[in-house]
Amino acid sequence: MGGKERTSVYLVGWANAWDWMPFWKDWGPTYQEGWCGFYNIPREAVLAEDNTLKFIPVKELQNLRKN
């Protein structure tokens, strides 16, 4: 990353296209129920000191958490 300047990278995964399940036709039963696919929790990709990647949930999610 070159020095102290850091660029943030945010990732959001999307799951869709269930063609690998032969018992689902078209978009599957979820499509028939009015929805299709889903997102995961947005995460920030961070390069750690040991040169491994860490995927940390974005801090804004704390506003949604409740006991």
Side-chain angles (χ1 to χ4, degrees):
M1 304 269 301
K4 293 183 180 182
E5 188 175 321
R6 178 177 246 157
T7 302
S8 293
V9 176
Y10 296 94
L11 307 167
V12 178
W14 169 253
N16 203 355
W18 305 101
D19 297 337
W20 55 272
M21 286 193 267
F23 49 88
W24 281 25
K25 302 291 184 212
D26 299 320
W27 290 98
T30 56
Y31 178 75
Q32 296 164 2
E33 294 173 4
W35 66 279
C36 188
F38 62 90
Y39 285 106
N40 72 350
I41 296 173
R43 297 176 186 273
E44 181 180 8
V46 177
L47 184 62
E49 294 292 328
D50 62 356
N51 287 326
T52 60
L53 284 175
K54 292 184 178 187
F55 299 98
I56 304 167
V58 295
K59 61 183 176 186
E60 289 82 1
L61 288 173
Q62 293 176 359
N63 296 334
L64 301 175
R65 293 184 181 158
K66 296 181 179 175
N67 289 334

